[in-house]
């Protein structure tokens, strides 16, 4: 039988780009056509129902049943025009992806006929079986039943023939079973806290929203090769594979021209995304071969999170039309760049001001500095939790590996902002400032250039970088649901802003003037959070040492990182901000440990199988060829054969060594798994997986990769890196 790798490669050679005929319309003609947005709501809803939904979105007022009926009727009418026959609640369980359960509009009518029905109740609530989704301890302590409830702040959309309604997912006893619920709470909190702080500067502000602009990186791999790699198909990454002689050394992929087949994929993807109202804007080749990036125009955080999840689903679907598989795994290939999802984050007011962007005068710039300094303080105080929100079994391979920020959290600010903070730190004192000092400081603050984007040197090594009008959280992984880090960041910011308000007000109560009170508190925060500020190269060894000196934490072990969710300060944060209750938090952390264990368990099994079923037999086969050769030489040349076959005899021995090592280590790994599997305490079990099982993945792989270099190419069963990476 032919080696499956070659059958796959033949398919790749035969591929032609598949162009989906682009519609002969402008993007603006079909943008959002499958979204039940403002325009459609106005058209399909009564005035009352429309106002009701708007109020609910803006003020959080509950939607009453009668109004829900009205909204459902309008939504159904619109969806049926778009060809919908079914509806589903669309939610984000703790699995990390999205979930849906479709129901038909079809119902039996009064006279045995069939009608299309969609009630307010069906819009507002659905009951998927919660017991099949991860819930951590909640499953044992509470009733398994859960329900999904409509989130009117993210518009419904039609995809295929299904009306999809974004929802939260909660248990009957009220605990969140998803990633959207905590995010919505966090966004609400940051809105309230930031609006209060804005009152110091502008009384007209009544709402502050959190913005998110994500940048999604991904790899495209030919489908035939993907299927020939069980590790890719089952774990999302290659568990073995020797480096290709050429990969990204020449830096010739970044921003280079997009291959035609990939371009055809991107065109179809963008068309589908636009119809769903996802404002994708930027596309380009990334650093690694076969790696690409896509970014939309930023949007309100909850909507942006939904868009990202929806887009990832679309990418999986559309890539198949083009004979590709899309990889979001943070490190699909050892030794070359991994996949991140930068989260660009800012706050902005309903008066149209981006609070993380400098303004035009001293007052707006003091507001800007207030928000920047509070952001830094929030990150400093919650560095462990921030890390816990992004460190997963998959992302751990990326962090700290040449191209990605390390597991040490730090903030980059750029020269301008750094200078301003240094000035505040030096010039402001506890004593009352003279009018001259105050004027001078205000003048300096007023001089912050309105546009920092151009003069902010872009430090691409920083995990949390200020980039002119936003912070960019770069440590987020390609597979992540952005709701997780965004819930943590916005919660931390909400708490921080509340503290700021209390601190400033207490000085004002003591008779300090408002501006001076703000200066003083900012100075205190600047001093307190100084260790987290770093402008240098985050990839360097020196930084690791320096960070340690500064008392910053550097945790690369996933279970250890996760435990930050359970620390005293995290609990205080989550409970005081009402994001999670105690049991809810326990449940969530349990799911994180569980998830880690499962991922490593699966990788260990897959590697074990492949090592024993694919690699060892291939190596032995090749070894037999060599032995055959040596024996024949002996037959022909007698004693002289040793001189002639010298290096082959060495090779035979070398193969034996690797094969023996592989077999022994696979056995040892299985034994470690057995020991770990009977540990009852989930945290301890995850540590056993991390410390005892996980190291074998790398140790075994080294021997396999050595064999790949030795064994006859024609016998090697798995597509090699050079084939996986250069096939589009
Ligand atoms: P780069 O690769 O240079 O970091 P990109 O253009 O790829 O930048 O992506 C930047 C992302 O940041 C985009 O999604 C963009 O809309 C978003 N963005 C820009 N300004 C803001 C802001 N003030 N708040 C949040 N996101 C922003
Ligand atoms: Mg970026």
């Amino acid at each position: 039988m032919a080696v499956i790798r070659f059958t796959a490669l033949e398919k790749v050679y035969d591929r032609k780009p598949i162009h989906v005929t682009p519609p002969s319309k402008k993007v603006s003609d079909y943008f959002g056509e499958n979204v039940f947005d403002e325009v459609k709501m106005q058209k399909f809803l009564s005035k009352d129902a429309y106002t009701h939904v708007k109020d609910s979105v803006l003020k959080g007022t509950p939607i009453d049943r009668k109004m829900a009926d009205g909204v459902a009727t309008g939504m159904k009418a619109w969806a049926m025009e778009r060809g919908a026959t079914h509806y589903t609640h669309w939610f984000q369980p703790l699995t990390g992806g999205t979930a849906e359960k479709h129901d038909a509009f079809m119902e039996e009518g009064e006279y045995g006929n069939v009608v299309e029905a969609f009630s307010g109740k069906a819009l507002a609530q659905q009951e998927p079986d919660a017991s099949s989704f991860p819930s951590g301890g909640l499953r044992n302590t509470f009733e398994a039943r859960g329900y999904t409830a409509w989130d009117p702040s993210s518009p419904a959309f039609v995809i295929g023939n299904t009306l999809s309604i974004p929802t939260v997912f909660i248990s009957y006893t009220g605990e969140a079973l998803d990633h959207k619920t905590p995010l919505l709470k966090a966004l609400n909190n940051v809105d309230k806290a930031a609006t209060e702080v804005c009152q110091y500067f502008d009384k007209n502000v009544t709402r502050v929203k959190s913005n998110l602009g994500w940048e999604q990186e991904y790899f495209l791999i030919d489908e035939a090769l993907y299927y020939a790699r069980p590790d890719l198909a089952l774990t999302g990454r290659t568990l073995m594979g020797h480096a290709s002689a050429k990969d990204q050394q020449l830096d010739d992929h970044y921003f280079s021209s997009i291959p035609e087949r990939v371009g055809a994929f991107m065109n179809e993807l963008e068309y589908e995304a636009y119809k769903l109202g996802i404002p994708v804007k930027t596309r380009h080749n990334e650093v690694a071969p076969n790696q690409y990036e896509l970014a939309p125009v930023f949007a309100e955080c909850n909507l942006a999170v939904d868009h990202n999840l929806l887009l990832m689903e679309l990418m999986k679907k559309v890539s198949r039309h083009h004979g590709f598989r899309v990889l979001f795994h943070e490190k699909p290939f050892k030794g070359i760049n991994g996949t991140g999802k930068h989260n660009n984050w800012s706050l902005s007011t309903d008066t149209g001001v981006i609070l993380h962007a400098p303004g035009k005068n001293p007052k707006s710039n003091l507001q800007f500095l207030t928000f920047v300094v509070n952001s830094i303080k929030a990150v400093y105080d919650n560095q462990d939790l921030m890390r816990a929100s992004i460190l997963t079994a998959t992302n751990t391979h990326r962090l700290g590996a040449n191209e990605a920020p390390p597991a040490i959290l730090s903030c980059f600010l750029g020269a301008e902002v750094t200078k301003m903070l240094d000035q505040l730190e030096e010039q402001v004192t506890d004593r009352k400032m003279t009018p001259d000092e105050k004027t001078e400081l205000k003048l300096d603050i007023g001089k912050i250039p309105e546009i920092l984007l151009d003069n902010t040197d872009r430090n691409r090594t920083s995990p949390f970088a200020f980039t002119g009008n936003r912070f960019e959280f770069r440590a987020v992984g390609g597979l992540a649901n952005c709701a997780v880090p965004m819930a943590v960041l916005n919660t931390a910011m909400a708490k921080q802003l509340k503290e700021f308000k209390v601190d400033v007000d207490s000085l004002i109560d003591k008779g300090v003037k408002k501006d001076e009170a703000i200066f003083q508190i900012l100075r205190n925060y600047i001093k307190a959070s100084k260790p987290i500020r770093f402008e240098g190269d985050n990839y360097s060894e020196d930084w690791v040492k320096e960070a340690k000196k500064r008392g910053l934490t550097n945790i690369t072990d996933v279970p250890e990182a996760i435990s930050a969710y359970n620390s005293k300060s995290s609990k205080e944060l989550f409970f005081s901000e009402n994001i999670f209750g105690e049991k809810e938090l326990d449940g969530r952390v349990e799911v994180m440990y569980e998830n880690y264990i499962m991922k490593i368990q699966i990788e260990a099994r897959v590697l074990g199988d492949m090592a024993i079923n694919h690699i060892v037999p291939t190596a032995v086969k090749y070894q037999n060829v060599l032995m055959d050769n040596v024996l024949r030489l002996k037959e022909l040349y007698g004693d002289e054969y040793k001189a002639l076959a010298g290096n082959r005899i060495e090779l035979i021995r070398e193969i034996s060594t690797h094969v023996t090592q592989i077999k022994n280590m696979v056995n040892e790994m299985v034994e470690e798994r057995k020991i770990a599997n009977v540990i009852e305490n989930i945290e301890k079990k995850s540590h056993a997986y991390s410390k005892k099982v996980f190291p074998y993945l790398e140790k075994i792989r080294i021997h396999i990769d050595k064999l790949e270099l030795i064994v006859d190419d024609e016998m090697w069963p798995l597509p090699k890196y050079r084939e996986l990476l250069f096939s589009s």
Side-chain angles (χ1 to χ4, degrees):
M1 203 184 80
V3 172
I4 184 166
R5 170 171 149 238
F6 292 101
T7 325
L9 280 172
E10 267 169 32
K11 284 216 176 97
V12 179
Y13 297 138
D14 286 343
R15 295 254 194 240
K16 300 272 175 299
I18 302 159
H19 293 283
V20 173
T21 329
S24 55
K25 291 187 279 187
K26 302 193 293 294
V27 171
S28 53
D29 290 335
Y30 55 84
F31 188 87
E33 71 177 17
N34 288 339
V35 183
F36 195 59
D37 55 19
E38 289 274 316
V39 180
K40 277 94 163 198
M41 278 204 272
Q42 296 223 10
K43 186 169 163 206
F44 284 86
L45 300 186
S46 70
K47 209 163 173 199
D48 265 4
Y50 173 76
T51 322
H52 212 71
V53 175
K54 289 297 289 179
D55 277 356
S56 157
V57 174
L58 294 175
K59 300 179 201 149
T61 50
I63 292 183
D64 75 39
R65 190 43 57 82
K66 216 172 119 233
M67 282 300 166
D69 276 332
V71 177
T73 306
M75 215 186 252
K76 182 191 71 183
W78 166 77
M80 283 175 62
E81 269 187 17
R82 308 290 324 152
T85 53
H86 288 66
Y87 66 92
T88 183
H89 279 196
W90 184 75
F91 57 104
Q92 305 167 21
L94 301 178
T95 49
T98 57
E100 48 195 79
K101 169 182 155 248
H102 300 194
D103 280 310
F105 288 135
M106 190 266 319
E107 256 176 36
E108 214 170 293
E110 240 173 289
Y111 315 104
N113 56 334
V114 155
V115 295
E116 276 84 12
F118 184 50
S119 66
K121 184 167 180 291
L123 164 65
Q125 198 166 313
Q126 219 180 15
E127 293 182 28
D129 181 5
S131 63
S132 318
F133 293 102
S135 68
L138 295 182
R139 197 182 294 144
N140 310 326
T141 1
F142 297 95
E143 230 188 324
R145 285 197 318 163
Y147 66 94
T148 50
W150 179 30
D151 163 23
S153 63
S154 180
F157 53 90
V158 167
I159 190 159
N161 60 1
T162 304
L163 167 67
S164 297
I165 299 142
T167 56
V168 294
F169 182 35
I170 27 196
S171 78
Y172 257 83
T173 34
E175 287 78 21
L177 297 172
D178 68 348
H179 289 309
K180 192 191 254 278
T181 309
L183 177 69
L184 288 175
K185 288 181 180 173
L187 296 175
N188 192 33
N189 294 357
V190 88
D191 169 9
K192 291 217 173 77
T195 304
E196 291 261 305
V197 169
C198 284
Q199 300 304 305
Y200 289 136
F201 307 96
D202 181 0
K203 296 268 183 242
N204 294 320
V205 175
T206 65
R207 274 194 78 208
V208 171
K209 73 175 181 205
S210 183
N211 302 305
L212 168 65
W214 40 262
E215 301 162 49
Q216 179 74 58
E217 294 178 334
Y218 60 97
F219 278 88
L220 285 176
I221 301 300
D222 191 278
E223 194 167 46
L225 299 176
Y226 174 89
Y227 283 132
R229 291 285 313 217
D231 47 355
L232 261 187
L234 296 178
T235 73
R237 75 172 174 117
T238 53
L239 298 170
M240 55 193 70
H242 196 278
S244 167
K246 172 190 185 291
D247 45 54
Q248 62 187 47
Q249 307 93 321
L250 301 177
D251 286 330
D252 52 355
H253 195 255
Y254 193 58
F255 283 9
S256 63
S257 77
I258 295 172
E260 194 182 353
R261 207 174 133 207
V262 176
F265 155 79
M266 287 176 170
N267 287 338
E268 187 184 343
L269 176 68
E270 283 165 2
Y271 175 52
E272 292 301 326
Y274 287 149
K275 285 193 289 183
L276 287 165
I278 308 173
V280 286
K281 175 101 176 154
T282 307
R283 60 186 196 195
H284 60 79
N285 285 10
E286 258 303 324
V287 173
N290 275 8
Q291 192 188 26
Y292 305 92
E293 183 186 298
L294 175 104
V297 178
F298 70 92
E300 187 279 323
C301 187
N302 177 41
L303 183 63
V305 167
D306 284 359
H307 279 168
N308 178 245
L309 291 168
L310 193 52
L311 192 87
M312 287 168 82
E313 289 304 314
L314 273 184
M315 290 169 84
K316 287 185 206 159
K317 218 186 287 179
V318 174
S319 61
R320 289 180 180 220
H321 298 174
H322 298 266
F324 284 126
R325 282 308 185 100
V326 62
L327 307 180
F328 297 120
H329 191 291
E330 287 84 354
K331 202 76 177 175
F333 305 100
K334 185 182 165 185
I336 65 171
N337 273 24
T339 294
K341 179 151 51 194
H342 299 172
N343 278 205
N344 293 270
W345 167 79
S346 68
L347 299 177
S348 63
T349 67
D350 55 353
T351 53
V353 172
I354 294 180
L355 295 164
H356 284 99
K360 294 188 176 70
N361 51 47
K363 194 165 137 196
S364 55
N365 275 342
L366 184 56
Q367 175 173 272
F368 157 68
L369 289 173
T370 296
F371 279 88
V372 167
V373 170
N374 276 289
S375 304
I376 299 168
K377 178 93 176 356
V379 173
Y380 178 56
D381 289 346
N382 296 282
Q383 49 179 305
D384 289 333
L385 190 56
M386 292 274 288
R387 179 190 307 107
S389 76
I390 53 95
L391 199 60
T392 58
T394 52
N395 201 20
T396 185
H397 295 282
R398 171 178 162 262
L399 290 193
N402 60 314
E403 86 292 357
I408 309 163
L409 250 293
S410 70
C411 297
F412 166 86
L413 294 176
E416 289 281 346
V417 179
T418 300
K419 199 174 82 196
M420 201 57 239
L421 297 198
D422 289 348
Q423 219 165 321
L424 273 170
E425 192 185 338
E426 282 159 24
Q427 291 181 1
V428 179
T429 57
D430 284 334
R431 69 166 169 77
K432 202 167 181 302
M433 296 173 93
T434 66
D436 278 356
E437 282 171 334
K438 233 196 258 176
T439 315
E440 194 192 335
L441 190 62
K442 281 192 180 165
L443 267 176
D444 284 337
I445 290 175
K447 279 187 209 146
I448 300 175
E450 210 182 313
I451 295 175
L452 280 177
L453 288 171
D454 299 332
N455 24 17
T456 315
D457 38 326
R458 291 276 188 122
N459 182 329
R460 294 195 175 269
T461 69
S462 174
F464 198 80
F466 178 69
T467 46
N469 62 354
R470 61 192 187 269
F471 276 99
E472 197 172 330
F473 191 13
R474 297 211 183 94
V476 185
L479 271 169
N481 178 339
C482 305
V484 180
M486 282 296 117
V488 165
L489 179 58
N490 285 294
T491 303
M493 186 64 172
K495 181 160 184 270
Q496 178 54 48
L497 290 170
K498 274 187 209 163
E499 274 168 25
F500 175 75
K501 177 92 170 55
V502 169
D503 290 347
V504 171
D505 283 353
S506 81
L507 285 186
I508 293 174
D509 287 346
K510 283 182 198 144
V512 182
K513 281 260 171 48
K514 185 179 80 185
D515 280 358
E516 195 148 336
I518 292 173
F519 286 144
Q520 283 188 20
I521 299 302
L522 287 184
R523 182 200 53 171
N524 294 347
Y525 289 178
I526 291 168
K527 279 189 169 166
S529 56
K530 213 164 180 186
I532 199 101
R533 278 164 49 196
F534 181 59
E535 302 286 300
D537 179 3
N538 283 257
Y539 300 168
S540 72
E541 276 302 310
D542 288 351
W543 171 229
V544 177
K545 286 183 211 139
E546 163 73 16
K548 195 167 176 200
K549 254 193 251 157
R550 294 187 187 186
L552 299 178
T553 51
N554 181 9
I555 300 167
T556 49
D557 180 74
V558 181
E560 197 184 333
I562 293 173
S563 71
Y565 266 88
N566 268 334
S567 73
K568 196 167 158 271
S569 65
S570 301
K571 282 187 170 169
E572 211 179 281
L573 173 73
F574 287 134
F575 300 163
S576 70
E577 288 296 311
N578 211 1
I579 303 295
F580 300 122
E582 201 150 341
K583 295 209 170 82
E584 234 173 344
L585 182 60
D586 285 348
R588 201 154 288 248
V589 173
E590 193 175 317
V591 172
M592 293 170 107
Y593 285 131
E594 228 170 56
N595 192 285
Y596 177 77
I597 294 166
M598 298 293 177
K599 289 263 165 76
I600 304 301
Q601 193 175 57
I602 292 169
E603 288 192 346
R605 285 181 180 156
V606 173
L607 180 68
D609 286 354
M610 289 175 73
I612 302 301
N613 301 330
H614 288 68
I615 306 303
V616 169
T618 307
V620 170
K621 220 183 278 171
Y622 181 58
Q623 196 184 34
N624 283 336
V625 172
L626 294 174
M627 289 196 288
D628 222 37
N629 174 258
V630 173
L631 287 178
R632 284 178 190 209
L633 285 171
K634 192 175 178 186
E635 258 173 41
L636 257 171
Y637 295 98
D639 274 354
E640 213 188 316
Y641 88 97
K642 274 191 189 151
L644 294 167
N647 54 6
R648 260 141 299 166
I649 295 172
E650 276 307 300
L651 262 186
I652 291 166
R653 202 184 292 277
E654 213 177 299
I655 292 174
S656 279
T657 311
H658 291 308
V659 166
T660 310
Q661 289 275 14
I662 290 172
K663 283 203 147 186
N664 287 346
M665 285 200 279
V666 168
N667 286 340
E668 286 163 27
M669 180 171 72
V670 171
E671 288 312 309
E672 289 295 355
R673 244 161 49 216
K674 284 187 190 156
I675 297 171
N677 286 346
V678 294
I679 302 175
E680 293 236 342
N681 178 298
I682 191 117
E683 184 176 352
K684 290 205 176 103
K685 187 169 169 176
S686 72
H687 280 290
Y689 264 92
S690 153
K691 302 254 158 35
K692 302 287 186 181
V693 180
F694 179 69
Y696 278 105
L697 294 170
E698 189 56 29
K699 285 198 278 188
I700 295 171
R701 163 182 198 148
I702 291 174
H703 292 282
I704 297 178
D705 293 354
K706 286 264 163 60
L707 284 174
E708 186 186 318
L709 282 184
I710 299 174
V711 171
D712 179 2
D713 184 65
E714 280 202 19
M715 288 185 180
W716 197 254
L718 303 169
K720 296 184 171 180
Y721 270 24
R722 62 166 188 262
E723 292 152 356
L724 291 165
L725 289 170
F726 293 94
S727 58
S728 57

